[in-house]
Amino acid sequence: MVTTTAFQMVESIKNERTMKQNVNEISMLQYRIKRYQTMRKGTMCQVLKTRLEKLLAEQQAQVNN
């Protein structure tokens, strides 16, 4: 019983770190998208938006679990 609780705590910490990393990467991608938009680099905007959508979907899946 104790190992299950310890295992759950470790998993919780890992999930928390992953979520923090995702939040940082999401904000970085949003910043880069805005910069590329001002530079009129549509192709890079689309690539970054695709990555951003994928990260947001992953984050939503983690929240739902």
Side-chain angles (χ1 to χ4, degrees):
M1 187 88 173
V2 174
T3 57
T4 304
T5 305
F7 178 74
Q8 289 172 345
M9 289 177 65
V10 169
E11 286 299 312
S12 175
I13 292 170
K14 285 181 182 179
N15 287 339
E16 203 172 307
R17 285 183 187 160
T18 303
M19 288 177 61
K20 286 181 183 178
Q21 289 172 344
N22 283 351
V23 168
N24 288 340
E25 190 169 356
I26 286 169
S27 58
M28 183 265 310
L29 284 172
Q30 289 171 334
Y31 170 77
R32 288 178 63 193
I33 289 168
K34 288 178 187 175
R35 289 211 45 206
Y36 280 115
Q37 284 174 338
T38 59
M39 294 171 20
R40 296 179 171 251
K41 302 284 185 179
T43 306
M44 276 305 294
C45 283
Q46 290 299 326
V47 170
L48 295 175
K49 284 181 181 180
T50 303
R51 249 170 86 191
L52 178 61
E53 289 172 4
K54 191 181 291 185
L55 272 176
L56 289 172
E58 285 178 17
Q59 187 180 33
Q60 187 63 34
Q62 286 178 349
V63 169
N64 289 338
N65 287 334

